[in-house]
Amino acid sequence: MTETPTEHGFLVLHGWQNHRPAGHWQHWLADRLTGLGHAVDYPQLPDPDHPDLEAWLAVLRTRLDVLRGQQRTVVCHSLACLLWLHAVARGAVPVPVDRILLVAPPSPGVLEQHAEVAEFTPPPVAAEQLAAAAKYTRLVAGDNDPYCPEGAVAAYGEPLGLPADVLPGAAHLDLEARYGSWPSLLDWCLAPSDDTPIQHRTDAAPA
């Protein structure tokens, strides 16, 4: 019997020290998308407390090879954003995905301060390489992220020419910033338009 392809396929990738806690927005998003019948892969990357770039790249390649869906989207948070940039720089995304979302990437200066993740410091990446790996790349970040003090737009958005949603007071867009459920992100994942704005989760917006 021929398997009917799902409309959407999603690969959700976590960051440093993330053991996929049930309260995190990525866990919530994966559950909601799965419940709607989409193909979702939310792997635990190896040794998240002491990540190895080569090991994470190997998992990424494997997961991309089996990602199903007529529209394929990769959603990265924090260190996984840098994982994606390394894969792009190496040409390690053989079949381009449709959309890639980079959520709260840490800055090079912050990465360099931590021996556990210093090797993830981003390599030079050209716009042409980004376009070869994904038809559309988008950036979402808080305007007060302690892991990117210069701001994600200055560190990544402007140099790479990426459209960006900057959320006031959203910090690192993690559990500490009260990002558990995130309906606006779910809406973007399923919206027909790539340009659909990604906004605060309403009860996490600053007073």
Side-chain angles (χ1 to χ4, degrees):
M1 179 181 295
T2 302
E3 183 179 0
T4 301
T6 58
E7 181 179 355
H8 293 278
F10 296 92
L11 176 60
V12 182
L13 299 170
H14 65 76
W16 183 28
Q17 300 178 334
N18 188 317
H19 294 262
R20 300 185 308 165
H24 196 283
W25 64 263
Q26 286 191 313
H27 209 298
W28 176 89
L29 181 67
D31 285 347
R32 293 301 183 279
L33 291 170
T34 299
L36 291 170
H38 302 292
V40 181
D41 189 6
Y42 179 29
Q44 178 69 67
L45 296 169
D47 200 2
D49 296 315
H50 298 87
D52 177 80
L53 176 59
E54 298 303 326
W56 279 31
L57 282 168
V59 172
L60 175 59
R61 286 192 292 268
T62 299
R63 301 293 179 160
L64 286 173
D65 284 342
V66 298
L67 181 60
R68 299 183 293 115
Q70 294 171 331
Q71 183 180 64
R72 300 158 72 240
T73 299
V74 180
V75 179
C76 300
H77 180 239
S78 191
L79 194 65
C81 300
L82 284 304
L83 171 66
W84 181 260
L85 294 181
H86 275 276
V88 168
R90 296 186 185 197
V93 185
V95 179
V97 299
D98 294 287
R99 301 193 295 178
I100 171 74
L101 184 66
L102 305 177
V103 181
S107 73
V110 168
L111 292 168
E112 291 167 356
Q113 295 172 20
H114 299 276
E116 300 94 328
V117 293
E119 68 175 336
F120 284 80
T121 298
V125 177
E128 295 79 6
Q129 291 174 299
L130 284 169
K135 297 176 183 176
Y136 181 82
T137 302
R138 191 182 189 90
L139 176 68
V140 181
D143 68 348
N144 61 335
D145 188 346
Y147 295 99
C148 195
E150 68 269 51
V153 172
Y156 296 102
E158 292 174 351
L160 298 177
L162 301 179
D165 295 281
V166 179
L167 307 184
H172 196 52
L173 289 158
D174 53 11
L175 280 174
E176 290 186 8
R178 294 168 44 211
Y179 271 79
S181 60
W182 195 355
S184 180
L185 179 54
L186 177 63
D187 291 344
W188 177 83
C189 285
L190 300 176
S193 171
D194 295 331
D195 296 329
T196 299
I198 300 173
Q199 302 171 338
H200 273 291
R201 60 167 295 192
T202 54
D203 59 345

